[in-house]
Amino acid sequence: AMRDLLSMGSTFTLPPVITALLKTVGVQGKVVVNTAQLLCPVIAQTVQVPFHLTALSLYNHPEWTRAERWESMKTLYVPTLLARMARALPCYGAGGVFNANLQTVAMSIGGGR
C-alpha cells in the first residue's frame, strides 16, 4: 500500500507541485511541466525501492533477522533502483507527458478548458 501510494503520488500529485516550485525560481514554459512529469516518478524510486525490497524480503524470507534483511538491501538496492527507474521513465514519466498533452488536445477539440 505504501509503495502504491508513493507511485501514484509521484506520478499524479508531485509533478504539479514541482512545476510550481520551478516556476517560482524562474524556470518557465512547457519544458518545466514535462521535466517534472518525467523526473518525479523516476526520482521517487529512491524512496520506493526500500519498501519494495523489504516487502519482498518479509514475504520470501520471514525467518531472516534484521541484519540479514539489511545485508540483502545493501546488495540489491542499486540494481533494483536502476531497473525500477528504467521502468518508471517510460510508463509513468513519458506516459504522463503523453496523457497530459492528449488531454489538452481533447479538451480544446471538445470545447473544455
Side-chain angles (χ1 to χ4, degrees):
M2 179 58 79
R3 184 187 65 173
D4 294 339
L5 178 67
L6 290 169
S7 290
M8 295 306 103
S10 68
T11 302
F12 300 111
T13 306
L14 200 54
V17 173
I18 298 300
T19 297
L21 181 66
L22 289 172
K23 286 182 177 179
T24 63
V25 296
V27 183
Q28 297 297 321
K30 186 75 171 165
V31 71
V32 71
V33 175
N34 291 341
T35 300
Q37 183 62 57
L38 286 169
L39 293 181
C40 284
V42 173
I43 293 170
Q45 294 304 314
T46 59
V47 176
Q48 288 176 286
V49 166
F51 286 103
H52 176 75
L53 292 175
T54 300
L56 288 174
S57 169
L58 288 168
Y59 183 81
N60 292 317
H61 304 284
E63 74 283 357
W64 277 5
T65 65
R66 285 185 184 166
E68 289 171 315
R69 290 188 205 291
W70 179 247
E71 285 304 313
S72 175
M73 179 81 68
K74 289 192 307 187
T75 303
L76 295 174
Y77 181 78
V78 171
T80 305
L81 176 65
L82 294 175
R84 289 178 61 88
M85 282 179 160
R87 190 193 76 168
L89 183 62
C91 67
Y92 294 119
V97 170
F98 177 74
N99 186 46
N101 290 330
L102 184 62
Q103 182 182 17
T104 301
V105 170
M107 290 294 196
S108 67
I109 291 171
R113 296 184 218 175

